[in-house]
Amino acid sequence: MRSILAAAVQRLRGRRQTATRLEGLTCIPVTVESVVNLEGPGEFSATLLERIANARERILISALYLQDDTAGREVLAAIYAASAVRPELQIAIFVDWHRAQRGLVGKAASPGNAALYVEMARRLGPGVPIYGVPVQSREWMGVMHLKGFVIDDALLYSGASINDVYLQRFDRYRLDRYHLIENRALADSIAGLMTRILQTNTAVRRLDVEPQAKTGSLRGAIVGLRRVLARSRYAITAGSVGNGEVGITPLLGFGHRDNQLNAVILQLIKRTERRLVVFTPYFNLPGPIRRALEGRLRRRCRVTIIVGDKTANDFYISPEDPFKTIGALPYLYESNLRRFCKIHQGDIDEGLLDVQLWSHEHHSFHLKGLLSDDDYALLTGSNLNPRAWRLDLENGLLIHDPQGGLHGQHQAELGRILARTRRLDHHTALDDTGTYPVPVQRILKRLARTRADRLLNQVL
C-alpha cells in the first residue's frame, strides 16, 4: 500500500514539475524588428500568398481546415504553383481529419474539403500532400487546432484557418490576430512538430489520395497518437534575451493533465499585477481561468475582456432568416456573459472589470490571447473555453518582452480592436433571455431544465 501511495505522490510531483514558472521557461531570442503585427485579414492574406509564391525551401501549414471555396482554392493553387516552379520544396499541410470530411454545420451533407484535395491532386499532381490529423475518433471529442504557417525562415501565426471569411474575400471578414515572425529557430521548432510528430504517425493519413481510410480502422492508432501528443513539446534550444530582443516560447496544449499551454495561461493571469487583457471569441471560460480572473479582481488588478457581440458570432442567424438550432449558440454565450457581469457588477462599477463587446456590421470576431502588464503576451489559437482546455490539440507563442520593445505594436493592435467595441457599463445592457427569438428561448429553457446547458458548455 505504501509503495502505491509513494508512486502516486511521485507522479503528482512530476506533474507539478512540468508546470515550469514563466521565468524558467526556455525561450528563443528574437529581435524586436523581426516581429510584425499585421493589421488585418487583408494584409494577412496578401502576406501569405506573397510568401508562398517566393518560397525557396519549405511550405508547412497547420490549420483547422483549408476550405473548398474561393480563398481555399486560391491558396492551394498558389502552393501547387510554387511546387511546380521548385519541385524540391518541402511541402505539407495538416488539417483536422474529421472537419475535412464533412460539410459545414447547418448546411447540407457533403464529402467535405477532402474532395477538393483529391480533385486538385488528380489534376495537378501529387506535389502538395495534405494530412488529416485525428485527435479523437469523433470530432465532438476533440479536433486538431494547431495553428502556424511556416514558409522558409518565417512563421505566420494566427488563429485563422483558410477560407473566404478568414482571408476577407468578397464582402465579409472574420477578425483574428496576425503576426509575422522572421526567425529560423522558431520556424524550425514549429515545423519540427508537424514533420517529426504528426507526419510520421500512423494515425495521420493523406486526404489528397483515394481511397481514404475509415476512421473506425484507425481507432488503435488514434489512441497511440493521443499518448504521443500528451507527452510532446516543441523542441527548442535555450537562449538568453539580449538588448533589442524578446524571448518567444512555443507551447503545446493537449488534454487536461500536464497541459503546458493551459499551465502557462494560468500562470500568466496569476502573475499580472496591473492590467490584464483577455481576448476570447466565445464567452465560455473554463473554471480555472474564471477563478484566476476573479483572484486578480480581488487584488484590484484591472481586467479587460474583449469578446464578440452575439451578432459577431460565427453562428449568429438574423431573426429575419430561417432559424436553425445551431443559431442558439450565440445566445447561450451571451447568457454566460450576462451572468458573469451580474456577479461582478461591483467590479465593473469600480472600473476594475472592463468588458468590451466587438461588433462591425455583418463581420465576425475570432480573437484569442492575453496581454499581461507590459512584459508578456500570448498569441494562441485556443478559444479559452472548456473544449480548448480539455479536448482539442492547441498551441501558442508566449512572448516575454522585458524591455517593452513590442509595447507600441501591442497598443496599436489593441487600439484598432477597441475602435469597434462598446463598453458594458451594466449587465442589463445585454439582452435578457426573454427578449430572444422564441425558438432560442425554447432551446435555452429546455437545456436549463435538464441541466444540459452545463454539459453543452463543456464541449463547445
Side-chain angles (χ1 to χ4, degrees), residues 142-187:
V143 297
M144 201 287 295
H145 213 240
L146 293 184
K147 302 301 171 67
F149 303 75
V150 176
I151 304 174
D152 295 339
D153 292 347
L155 169 65
L156 260 172
Y157 191 87
S158 174
S161 289
I162 302 173
N163 72 356
D164 285 345
V165 68
Y166 277 120
L167 300 190
Q168 198 174 359
R169 296 296 181 269
F170 309 113
D171 63 341
R172 293 186 64 234
Y173 69 81
R174 182 170 298 150
L175 187 67
D176 213 291
R177 303 177 72 198
Y178 320 92
H179 289 79
L180 173 64
I181 305 171
E182 303 266 10
N183 183 274
R184 179 73 190 195
L186 180 60

Side-chain angles (χ1 to χ4, degrees), residues 254-401:
F254 183 60
H256 66 285
R257 293 182 179 178
D258 296 336
N259 187 307
Q260 187 187 32
L261 178 61
N262 289 357
V264 167
I265 289 171
L266 287 180
Q267 291 174 45
L268 200 56
I269 295 172
K270 292 176 181 178
R271 56 85 59 189
T272 307
E273 297 180 354
R274 298 182 303 280
R275 188 185 184 192
L276 177 72
V277 179
V278 180
F279 305 99
T280 180
Y282 318 115
F283 195 82
N284 184 19
L285 298 175
I289 289 183
R290 177 177 47 78
R291 290 188 290 272
L293 292 177
E294 290 169 344
R296 290 299 87 200
L297 290 169
R298 285 194 296 271
R299 291 183 174 271
R300 305 196 65 76
C301 172
R302 184 182 176 191
V303 175
T304 298
I305 299 175
I306 302 176
V307 62
D309 183 84
K310 66 174 177 291
T311 60
N313 188 282
D314 311 352
F315 300 110
Y316 178 74
I317 299 173
S318 173
E320 293 79 28
D321 296 330
F323 180 76
K324 297 177 182 177
T325 302
I326 196 70
L329 284 182
Y331 297 91
L332 177 63
Y333 295 135
E334 185 178 62
S335 296
N336 292 342
L337 181 61
R338 195 175 197 275
R339 283 194 296 270
F340 180 83
C341 290
K342 185 175 182 179
I343 292 170
H344 294 284
Q345 185 61 54
D347 294 318
I348 293 174
D349 293 341
E350 284 193 67
L352 292 175
L353 177 61
D354 183 21
V355 179
Q356 298 280 348
L357 279 183
W358 187 96
S359 65
H360 180 212
E361 299 174 352
H362 57 291
H363 306 294
S364 53
F365 179 93
H366 201 243
L367 276 68
K368 289 86 62 175
L370 301 169
L371 297 175
S372 171
D373 292 333
D374 294 326
D375 56 347
Y376 275 100
L378 179 72
L379 315 179
T380 183
S382 170
N383 291 319
L384 303 183
N385 60 4
R387 182 186 178 100
W389 202 254
R390 298 175 179 174
L391 302 177
D392 296 341
L393 175 63
E394 305 280 0
N395 68 355
L397 301 177
L398 179 69
I399 303 178
H400 184 204
D401 184 16

Side-chain angles (χ1 to χ4, degrees), residues 43-52 75 149 151 156 167:
E43 188 178 6
F44 171 69
S45 175
T47 302
L48 174 61
L49 291 171
E50 178 188 6
R51 294 281 172 155
I52 289 172
V75 170
F149 303 75
I151 304 174
L156 260 172
L167 300 190

Side-chain angles (χ1 to χ4, degrees), residues 181-212:
I181 305 171
E182 303 266 10
N183 183 274
R184 179 73 190 195
L186 180 60
D188 283 348
S189 179
I190 300 298
L193 189 126
M194 296 186 215
T195 57
R196 177 174 48 88
I197 303 297
L198 298 183
Q199 193 170 13
T200 61
N201 195 280
T202 57
V204 178
R205 299 298 180 93
R206 294 275 292 271
L207 288 165
D208 57 307
V209 298
E210 289 184 318
Q212 290 164 2

Side-chain angles (χ1 to χ4, degrees), residues 204-271:
V204 178
R205 299 298 180 93
R206 294 275 292 271
L207 288 165
D208 57 307
V209 298
E210 289 184 318
Q212 290 164 2
K214 299 295 184 182
T215 302
S217 68
L218 300 176
R219 292 186 188 279
I222 292 171
V223 171
L225 173 62
R226 289 174 58 80
R227 289 181 182 139
V228 169
L229 292 172
R231 59 177 182 266
S232 294
R233 295 289 186 270
Y234 283 105
I236 63 176
T237 302
S240 56
V241 178
N243 289 331
E245 292 182 329
V246 297
I248 300 183
T249 302
L251 304 165
L252 193 68
F254 183 60
H256 66 285
R257 293 182 179 178
D258 296 336
N259 187 307
Q260 187 187 32
L261 178 61
N262 289 357
V264 167
I265 289 171
L266 287 180
Q267 291 174 45
L268 200 56
I269 295 172
K270 292 176 181 178
R271 56 85 59 189

